[in-house]
Amino acid sequence: MMGASSTRSPSRWLAALLAASSLLPGVHSQYYKIETKEQIKESARTLAYDLMLYYKGNQSGEIPGILPGPPTEHKGDYYWWEGGAMMGTYVDYWFLTGDDSYNKVVMEGMVHQVGPNEDYMPPNHTASLGNDDQGFWGMSAMLAAENKFPNPPDGGPQWLALAQAVFHTQASPERHDDTCNGGLRWQVPPTNMGYNYKNTIANGCFFNLGARLARYTLNQTYADWAEKTFQWLWDVQYIDHKDWRVYDGGHVEQNCTDINKAQFSYNAALLLHGAAFMYNYTNGSEIWKERVDGLLGGIKRDFFEHGVAFEIPCEGRKGACTADMLSFKGYVHRWLSVVTKVAPYTHKTIIPMLRNSTEAAVRQCTGGETQRRCGFYWLDGVYVDPAVDKTSGAGEQMNVLAAVSSLLIDDAPPPANNHTGISKGDPNAGSRSRGARDPPKPITNGDRAGAAILTILILGSAIGTWGWMSFGD
Ligand SMILES: *[C@@H]1O[C@H](CO)[C@@H](O)[C@H](O)[C@H]1NC(C)=O
Ligand SMILES: *[C@@H]1O[C@H](CO)[C@@H](O)[C@H](O)[C@H]1NC(C)=O
Ligand SMILES: *[C@@H]1O[C@H](CO)[C@@H](O)[C@H](O)[C@H]1NC(C)=O
Ligand SMILES: *[C@@H]1O[C@H](CO)[C@@H](O)[C@H](O)[C@H]1NC(C)=O
Ligand SMILES: *[C@@H]1O[C@H](CO)[C@@H](O)[C@H](O)[C@H]1NC(C)=O
Ligand SMILES: *[C@@H]1O[C@H](CO)[C@@H](O)[C@H](O)[C@H]1NC(C)=O
Ligand SMILES: *[C@@H]1O[C@H](CO)[C@@H](O)[C@H](O)[C@H]1NC(C)=O
Ligand SMILES: *[C@@H]1O[C@H](CO)[C@@H](O)[C@H](O)[C@H]1NC(C)=O
């Protein structure tokens, strides 16, 4: 271990002294201020600017929509899905602040990645496609419809239709089977590692889109799928029946009973967000209220235990969070803020959580040459260079942008629906793309590990070294 105080050299000691003195007023102090609305907007503006510096997609020769990557091809730290998540973050940024500086870039990126069937299955990524990867892009399109983000040109793909297309491809029979009594698999192509894993995030994205499409279109078919998918997650006990913990997933060979009990914040927050839309769609039904209450209580207890967003499975050990995990806090903040719009009775619980957590988030944005770069470790209140987690820091920056912009949620209108919205839907969207299970090209090693979210690493050798098993029961 490095950094024990007994090994400090004089120059380190000096550095520590300087760092301490920088906490004094007048020397370089906290850069971002979030007391007033104007300060929040100004802070968000700078955070949005700094995050864009990680994005190369609008430069000549680069690919619109994605952050540098994927790591499996040594092109950068980020997988395909995170570009979609970042686009969603800017759709919210514009919605909440009114600053349209990045709308053109976002529109271009989101349209560029739709793929030939307009369902977020672009050939460059179908071979390594997870339902969650496609789902994240679909949720950003859904958000664009709900936020009344400017429509793409007529004749091209439209936000609502894109969200429907993603949902319809995932509802199609070839993505469903009887193992574990139902549910979506993590991966789409059967040859992918992870095809035998049925997990919360894949089903969570599908559930979430179904809930939101139901509320937007008032088409009960979407609600039926959402209901059924949530029930499945409950039945396999990826949602703990006692205390509403949300676990990661299990394997079809074990009938999904070998539950990996890692608790990732975005799984729980994604289910809460979808449940709140169902609560709203059902005019405040008891059953969905119980689910909203259970999930929110669990999130507050586990991920905000010390009043600040904390990524339980990896944050306790610096260097243990993957690039994916390093972006989860942002989604948690954004999704929780929207829950206050569609289930307004949660406002008094959620807003103070987000406020306190955001104060800690900005406190540690003191890094880099600008002395305003953000790290991941909010609770400690001290900037830690993203290099400790082996990334350049886009996720860390995106988290804080999301948290700060979301403080403006009270002034925003609720998510639009078919009456108040402006996006065109298509009940047949996604129907051209069946057969997606057959990958169009041979799977390379790069593709295999390529898709989203963590799990291969987690299920593999990292387990022992992380003391992972302590999460086991
Ligand atoms: C890319 O977008 C950013 C942010 O809008 C802008 O500042 C920059 O000039 C753009 N670059 C190119 C090459 O268009
Ligand atoms: C697919 O990848 C190639 C090679 O990197 C790139 O040139 C092309 O622009 C990508 N297509 C899309 C739609 O992103
Ligand atoms: C939205 O509502 C209009 C009429 O109010 C209807 O024509 C249209 O089909 C609806 N769209 C969807 C996606 O439900
Ligand atoms: C409702 O959605 C389903 C699934 O997309 C579609 O088949 C059906 O036509 C839709 N119904 C209406 C009334 O739009
Ligand atoms: C698999 O688990 C489900 C509960 O998730 C149970 O209903 C079903 O009977 C189990 N099937 C087998 C073959 O054990
Ligand atoms: C919610 O209430 C509205 C207005 O009373 C009604 O038209 C609609 O059918 C209700 N929705 C559900 C899912 O019960
Ligand atoms: C549903 O959401 C709307 C905002 O879109 C809100 O005014 C209404 O109170 C919500 N319904 C319930 C039952 O909370
Ligand atoms: C707010 O966050 C601080 C850490 O920044 C923590 O010590 C405090 O307990 C939190 N307050 C509440 C009410 O959660």
Side-chain angles (χ1 to χ4, degrees):
M1 284 292 289
M2 297 183 297
S5 54
S6 60
T7 65
R8 259 193 207 144
S9 64
S11 65
R12 278 198 170 207
W13 190 83
L14 189 63
L17 189 71
L18 285 171
S21 71
S22 73
L23 295 173
L24 299 171
V27 193
H28 103 258
S29 54
Q30 177 177 329
Y31 184 89
Y32 291 113
K33 301 200 170 39
I34 54 171
E35 288 306 311
T36 67
K37 265 180 214 165
E38 280 320 305
Q39 288 174 347
I40 292 169
K41 281 190 193 171
E42 184 58 26
S43 294
R45 201 174 65 82
T46 306
L47 287 158
Y49 176 88
D50 283 359
L51 175 58
M52 249 321 142
L53 300 176
Y54 296 91
Y55 180 74
K56 308 288 174 230
N58 68 334
Q59 296 174 9
S60 73
E62 301 282 345
I63 303 175
I66 61 172
L67 281 161
T72 40
E73 291 168 27
H74 307 289
K75 290 181 181 164
D77 296 337
Y78 307 100
Y79 289 106
W80 178 65
W81 76 277
E82 196 164 340
M86 175 173 142
M87 296 300 137
T89 303
Y90 279 96
V91 169
D92 269 342
Y93 168 73
W94 160 77
F95 178 65
L96 293 161
T97 66
D99 176 9
D100 64 2
S101 304
Y102 306 103
N103 284 15
K104 207 169 137 249
V105 174
V106 170
M107 166 97 67
E108 181 193 37
M110 286 182 70
V111 170
H112 188 80
Q113 292 297 331
V114 300
N117 296 321
E118 303 186 353
D119 55 4
Y120 287 117
M121 294 176 44
N124 281 357
H125 301 284
T126 37
S128 61
L129 192 73
N131 281 300
D132 51 352
D133 304 322
Q134 187 195 18
F136 261 87
W137 282 96
M139 291 191 294
S140 290
M142 188 72 225
L143 183 68
E146 289 165 346
N147 284 4
K148 300 207 257 181
F149 194 72
N151 288 322
D154 282 346
Q158 300 297 313
W159 305 133
L160 179 59
L162 284 164
Q164 288 173 305
V166 169
F167 184 88
H168 296 161
T169 58
Q170 298 194 345
S172 83
E174 70 229 19
R175 296 229 187 152
H176 294 262
D177 59 62
D178 291 336
T179 58
C180 311
N181 268 350
L184 281 176
R185 291 168 184 262
W186 177 32
Q187 293 297 305
V188 179
T191 40
N192 276 14
M193 197 188 283
Y195 183 71
N196 61 344
Y197 194 56
K198 287 196 170 178
N199 60 359
T200 300
I201 191 63
N203 288 280
C205 291
F206 182 58
F207 158 69
N208 184 282
L209 270 176
R212 293 160 74 179
L213 285 167
R215 180 179 172 280
Y216 194 103
T217 65
L218 295 179
N219 181 333
Q220 178 64 28
T221 309
Y222 297 119
D224 292 343
W225 271 111
E227 171 64 45
K228 182 175 155 169
T229 304
F230 193 95
Q231 191 62 49
W232 180 81
L233 285 162
W234 181 261
D235 289 342
V236 292
Q237 303 192 42
Y238 293 177
I239 304 167
D240 194 293
H241 292 192
K242 245 191 5 262
D243 52 23
W244 295 89
R245 288 172 209 271
V246 177
Y247 305 128
D248 196 66
H251 291 90
V252 298
E253 294 85 351
Q254 278 79 37
N255 194 26
C256 296
T257 57
D258 62 330
I259 298 175
N260 173 354
K261 291 200 166 174
Q263 283 178 267
F264 289 101
S265 61
Y266 77 153
N267 279 327
L270 183 62
L271 296 186
L272 169 61
H273 182 257
F277 274 78
M278 287 305 290
Y279 169 81
N280 197 271
Y281 172 75
T282 57
N283 296 326
S285 67
E286 266 314 302
I287 177 78
W288 285 106
K289 179 169 189 304
E290 189 187 314
R291 290 164 173 173
V292 168
D293 289 343
L295 289 164
L296 178 55
I299 288 169
K300 185 164 188 230
R301 179 195 61 219
D302 295 343
F303 300 104
F304 291 83
E305 185 188 352
H306 303 291
V308 176
F310 189 85
E311 196 56 42
I312 297 173
C314 62
E315 187 167 346
R317 220 191 97 206
K318 299 209 166 56
C321 294
T322 65
D324 291 340
M325 301 169 197
L326 293 167
S327 70
F328 293 171
K329 288 178 187 176
Y331 318 134
V332 171
H333 271 252
R334 285 170 51 218
W335 291 334
L336 259 63
S337 76
V338 174
V339 170
T340 69
K341 304 307 266 191
V342 290
Y345 77 90
T346 61
H347 186 275
K348 60 181 184 305
T349 308
I350 290 177
I351 295 298
M353 287 163 65
L354 297 184
R355 175 85 215 175
N356 198 61
S357 181
T358 307
E359 280 166 10
V362 296
R363 205 170 293 137
Q364 54 84 42
C365 294
T366 58
E369 284 185 8
T370 54
Q371 301 187 343
R372 66 182 193 216
R373 214 167 155 226
C374 303
F376 182 68
Y377 298 89
W378 297 1
L379 187 57
D380 304 343
V382 178
Y383 173 76
V384 176
D385 194 301
V388 305
D389 288 292
K390 298 172 272 310
T391 82
S392 59
E396 292 86 334
Q397 194 70 25
M398 181 157 73
N399 289 338
V400 181
L401 170 60
V404 170
S405 337
S406 296
L407 293 178
L408 298 166
I409 195 71
D410 282 352
D411 293 335
N417 58 32
N418 189 30
H419 293 299
T420 57
I422 56 169
S423 186
K424 269 220 283 296
D426 174 4
N428 298 314
S431 52
R432 277 182 294 165
S433 23
R434 305 288 154 79
R437 279 166 40 132
D438 308 320
K441 58 175 184 172
I443 307 288
T444 66
N445 277 330
D447 289 329
R448 207 168 281 154
I453 316 223
L454 66 111
T455 309
I456 291 167
L457 268 176
I458 285 182
L459 301 179
S461 62
I463 293 177
T465 45
W466 292 15
W468 193 261
M469 293 313 187
S470 60
F471 292 99
D473 295 290

